[in-house]
Amino acid sequence: MGVLQAFELTGRVAIVTGGNMGLGEAFSHALAEAGAHVAIGARTHDLSVKVARDIEAGGGKAITVDLDVTKPESVERMVETITNQLGPIDILVNNAGVCYHKPALEVPDEQWNEVFDVNVNGVWHCAQAVGRQMVERRSGTIINIGSISGFIVNRPQMQPAYNASKAAVHQLTKSLAAEWAPFNVRVNAMAPGYIKTLMAPVDRPEFRRNWIEDAPMQRYGMPEELGPTLVYLASDASRFMTGSVLVIDGGYTLW
Ligand code: NDP
């Protein structure tokens, strides 16, 4: 297999959870550009339709699936819908996530639970439902979107639930990778630094000192900059890689 050919995803079926905005939107476009048939899975239907339309306008193939990753029955429906419409799933991108900024002593239980429900249980439900199909078929790749917050404590804002949830995502990635390697199912994670999306208000002046000036590259990233790495992790280009957590952060975690 040639080097560039290894990155091709022609005809593969992919689902991106939270694929209707931010990083998920960029991931969906990147997968489609590499030739995958992409399902955009999220709760806000209209936003998902817009992303699918944009992909189709660019010559790609995309469908939408209404999905709440916190609800196992919604996840099961997602697998069924995609399998019926596009075929069995080759690539699962567990990208849906939420984050709240609040000091530990002020975090209400509901907020702690919501963060774990989406960021950890959501990854679990999707990995289990899609992984079952992949293990049966002896084929598939899963990419979990973790974060540098799984390694470091962000500042100046406190976000204890989010940080703990992303550490869990990294360790779950390794557990599933070890368990499913014999079945030819690879599981890796990406750990981005500060990327401009609704979740990360990188332009706000109060964050400039710690988020931008502390980073060796002295800037934030754009969602599109992560697309090629996602394609690498999803494709045969990374075929000997499993259980890795790939940091992409402009050098933020070096210091
Ligand atoms: P956004 O807030 O822009 O997007 C979050 C996405 O998650 C939306 O598509 C949203 O869609 C979806 N989502 C939230 N809850 C659910 C749910 N219950 N079921 C299905 N989908 C859901 O965030 P980002 O694009 O910034 O973040 C994407 C991922 O990247 C997250 O996991 C985040 O933790 C991670 N990350 C982001 C970084 C950054 O700097 N931006 C840095 C490191 C990691 P809808 O509301 O329609 O359901």
Side-chain angles (χ1 to χ4, degrees):
M1 184 185 292
V3 169
L4 291 181
Q5 203 188 353
F7 289 84
E8 277 177 23
L9 298 174
T10 313
R12 307 241 178 120
V13 173
I15 161 77
V16 181
T17 72
N20 63 3
M21 66 171 102
L23 300 193
E25 180 174 1
F27 294 150
S28 301
H29 277 280
L31 291 168
E33 201 180 315
H37 299 167
V38 183
I40 318 289
R43 294 166 307 175
T44 315
H45 181 76
D46 292 355
L47 283 180
S48 301
V49 168
K50 186 187 173 305
V51 175
R53 283 206 184 121
D54 288 347
I55 288 174
E56 299 253 328
K61 185 170 164 85
I63 64 165
T64 63
V65 197
D66 293 333
L67 170 68
D68 184 339
V69 296
T70 66
K71 301 202 162 69
E73 62 280 9
S74 172
V75 172
E76 292 295 343
R77 252 197 324 272
M78 171 272 283
V79 176
E80 207 181 297
T81 305
I82 296 172
T83 307
N84 289 340
Q85 289 191 31
L86 300 176
I89 298 167
D90 300 297
I91 300 160
L92 163 65
V93 184
N94 274 316
N95 164 80
V98 292
C99 179
Y100 295 102
H101 298 175
K102 222 177 241 310
L105 297 181
E106 294 169 23
V107 176
D109 276 353
E110 303 77 55
Q111 218 172 70
W112 173 273
N113 290 336
E114 185 192 339
V115 170
F116 266 72
D117 230 13
V118 180
N119 297 9
V120 184
N121 297 343
V123 171
W124 171 246
H125 296 316
C126 292
Q128 200 182 37
V130 179
R132 182 168 287 119
Q133 197 187 56
M134 289 178 168
V135 165
E136 246 173 56
R137 295 175 64 225
R138 302 289 193 268
S139 172
T141 64
I142 298 177
I143 301 101
N144 296 326
I145 308 307
S147 169
I148 57 168
S149 308
F151 299 115
I152 55 120
V153 175
N154 305 71
R155 58 183 179 175
Q157 83 288 4
M158 296 295 110
Q159 43 184 54
Y162 183 83
N163 297 349
S165 77
K166 291 299 182 178
V169 169
H170 295 172
Q171 191 61 4
L172 179 58
T173 299
K174 294 178 190 189
S175 293
L176 296 178
E179 194 173 325
W180 292 344
F183 303 104
N184 195 34
V185 175
R186 298 188 297 110
V187 189
N188 290 290
M190 184 193 291
Y194 289 109
I195 315 289
K196 187 178 167 71
T197 66
L198 268 188
M199 180 188 283
V202 290
D203 289 324
R204 294 228 306 251
E206 69 268 36
F207 296 132
R208 185 170 173 80
R209 166 70 195 83
N210 293 120
W211 291 16
I212 309 300
E213 291 172 19
D214 269 355
M217 284 181 78
Q218 300 271 293
R219 70 172 179 89
Y220 54 77
M222 293 301 288
E224 299 71 37
E225 294 184 272
L226 303 183
T229 305
L230 196 275
V231 169
Y232 166 67
L233 292 172
S235 68
D236 295 343
S238 60
R239 61 190 174 276
F240 191 50
M241 185 172 173
T242 199
S244 290
V245 182
L246 209 48
V247 175
I248 310 185
D249 66 350
Y252 192 87
T253 47
L254 295 177
W255 282 334

